[in-house]
Amino acid sequence: EAGVAQSPRYKIIEKRQSVAFWCNPISGHATLYWYQQILGQGPKLLIQFQNNGVVDDSQLPKDRFSAERLKGVDSTLKIQPAKLEDSAVYLCASSLVTNEQFFGPGTRLTVL
Amino acid sequence: AQTVTQSQPEMSVQEAETVTLSCTYDTSENNYYLFWYKQPPSRQMILVIRQEAYKQQNATENRFSVNFQKAAKSFSLKISDSQLGDTAMYFCAFSRGSGAGSYQLTFGKGTKLSVIP
């Protein structure tokens, strides 16, 4: 069974630029999560999707971050414009109706 | 809101020895789950072990076991017969079992475990 796929794996941008991350969950997983993991900290949930609907985006900085999940499968997370403090690893995870989440390898973002 | 606290930023253990990682949490929920996730260097996070709060019996998975003390809100991970491949960041995590925000994970800050040959 293929795992959660994410791309790109690494991205370096300058502040005020925009960036987008892509996630392909495990086939059949209805729930998809985006987490932000700042160096030295545990992951923090940004947004949760159930199929193509948003369940919770209360911790998503909506003035600069946006996310969508088209057709209830792939998802993209966008940052525009990026700030220095957005430097982090962005993790995507998916799950069935159970509570076990499967994580992708992450995208490491560096904002200069 | 739930909080998860891991008070040991770093730990080390000799190969083949046993080590215990600590975790405490705070919640007013009755229906919840606790997890230990492992994140090896430059590799993706994987689930090590899971505990349902309603179960009194401590979960075990091969060399990994937990000590779940519900009243004390404590959830420690014991790794027996430590192996070099156990070197990783270990995160304790909490999720509600029902209601709004169920299954969302709240993570601690992690414990960096080094297994020494």
Side-chain angles (χ1 to χ4, degrees), chain A residues 37-39 83-90 109-112:
Chain A
Q37 185 177 15
I38 294 173
L39 185 64
K83 293 185 175 182
L84 296 177
E85 58 262 35
D86 298 332
S87 293
V89 175
Y90 291 84
L109 173 67
T110 302
V111 182
L112 302 175

Side-chain angles (χ1 to χ4, degrees), chain A residues 37 42 48 56 99 101 103, chain B residues 33 39 44 50 103-104:
Chain A
Q37 185 177 15
Q48 177 186 356
D56 185 355
N99 59 1
Q101 295 184 26
F103 285 81
Chain B
Y33 300 84
Q39 190 175 40
Q44 62 201 78
R50 171 179 57 203
Y103 305 142
Q104 294 174 6

Side-chain angles (χ1 to χ4, degrees), chain B residues 53-78:
Chain B
Y54 63 86
K55 290 187 177 179
Q56 292 185 331
Q57 186 171 7
N58 289 324
T60 62
E61 286 287 342
N62 301 313
R63 298 183 295 107
F64 299 88
S65 62
V66 299
N67 183 4
F68 175 46
Q69 301 290 327
K70 190 172 183 178
K73 295 182 179 175
S74 171
F75 183 62
S76 61
L77 174 70
K78 185 172 81 172

Side-chain angles (χ1 to χ4, degrees), chain A residues 42-64:
Chain A
K44 183 188 81 171
L45 180 72
L46 291 175
I47 189 168
Q48 177 186 356
F49 291 94
Q50 181 75 20
N51 296 309
N52 61 349
V54 175
V55 174
D56 185 355
D57 63 356
S58 58
Q59 299 189 78
L60 187 73
K62 298 180 189 62
D63 57 335
R64 297 183 302 105

